[in-house]
Amino acid sequence: GPFSAQAVPQFYRRDVVGYHRKQRLTYDDVINRLLYDRTHFGNPVYDIQDIVVAEDKFAIRFSYSAVMLSAAQKVAADVIYFYHLKDGMISQFWLLADMGFDYRAEP
């Protein structure tokens, strides 16, 4: 289902490096973010706008919306992820979003 931290080992290398604004992210940060989203947001909707694929990289652009559970308020963002692959797994990623947030916020 949405925000599934259990799926991370299927897609991300353990030595993955990610970037979100000034944050340099790790495998554990990816899991942490999914756990955070699971406890703070409901009814997530991902509306994929575009996907660009090459042999060892891909990019996905989508609109995201969900309900912030603490305030029962809808949030929305336009998001772009850029991924680089190594041995068929995500080895690096960059995230651009028009909504500021702390990728490492505690669940």
Side-chain angles (χ1 to χ4, degrees), residues 3 6 26 40 44-45 50 58 61 69 73 77 80 84-85 88 95-96 98 103:
F3 310 136
Q6 293 77 19
T26 66
H40 291 86
V45 175
D50 199 7
F58 67 98
R61 181 172 59 91
L69 299 176
Q73 178 182 355
I80 303 172
H84 282 196
L85 306 173
L95 163 62
L96 302 172
D98 68 352
Y103 207 97

Side-chain angles (χ1 to χ4, degrees), residues 17-36:
V17 177
Y19 301 92
H20 172 61
R21 297 184 186 221
K22 294 182 180 187
Q23 292 181 321
R24 185 176 189 274
L25 306 167
T26 66
Y27 181 92
D28 292 335
D29 293 326
V30 172
I31 291 174
N32 178 72
R33 185 67 207 179
L34 290 166
L35 295 173
Y36 179 90

Side-chain angles (χ1 to χ4, degrees), residues 9-78:
Q10 296 173 357
F11 300 103
Y12 289 83
R13 291 177 52 92
R14 191 69 179 94
D15 61 352
V16 67
V17 177
Y19 301 92
H20 172 61
R21 297 184 186 221
K22 294 182 180 187
Q23 292 181 321
R24 185 176 189 274
L25 306 167
T26 66
Y27 181 92
D28 292 335
D29 293 326
V30 172
I31 291 174
N32 178 72
R33 185 67 207 179
L34 290 166
L35 295 173
Y36 179 90
D37 286 351
R38 180 174 286 242
T39 46
H40 291 86
F41 297 101
N43 301 323
V45 175
Y46 300 88
D47 182 13
I48 297 172
Q49 309 289 316
D50 199 7
I51 298 175
V52 179
V53 179
E55 184 176 337
D56 62 349
K57 57 189 166 188
F58 67 98
I60 183 169
R61 181 172 59 91
F62 60 93
S63 295
Y64 166 80
S65 64
V67 175
M68 186 185 320
L69 299 176
S70 63
Q73 178 182 355
K74 188 172 183 175
V75 295
D78 290 318

